[in-house]
Amino acid sequence: MIKTLRPRGYDEAIDIGHYFCEGFAVVLDLTALTPEAARSFVDFSSGLVTGRDGAIERVAPGVFVLRPAPVEAPQPSVAPA
């Protein structure tokens, strides 16, 4: 699942954390922000993905994708024969 966010202020950083921690890939469009505000979002996002074993990638100027860590499907248990 993918969620696209276009924050207008730093108070919206909580939304990034919420969706990312719920397993969504987040497209973060920072093009409407000042360079200083955009840098704060990138710093926050970098810490978030580092702490949750995810990844961040710039896909265009001012646009980033945050990918959560892959989720491994549980293996079915097999009873011994």
Side-chain angles (χ1 to χ4, degrees):
M1 297 180 280
I2 301 172
K3 183 67 178 170
T4 300
L5 299 174
R6 293 175 186 89
R8 299 289 180 207
Y10 196 73
D11 59 327
E12 296 178 47
I14 192 167
D15 297 331
I16 300 166
H18 170 76
Y19 288 113
F20 186 81
C21 291
E22 289 295 320
F24 286 80
V26 177
V27 176
L28 190 56
D29 181 348
L30 305 175
T31 57
L33 298 174
T34 65
E36 296 80 21
R39 191 172 310 115
S40 293
F41 273 100
V42 171
D43 289 346
F44 170 81
S45 298
S46 296
L48 179 64
V49 299
T50 299
R52 303 283 299 196
D53 293 326
I56 186 171
E57 179 181 356
R58 186 174 72 162
V59 294
V63 181
F64 297 83
V65 174
L66 286 65
R67 292 186 317 258
V71 177
E72 293 186 29
Q75 299 297 319
S77 58
V78 178

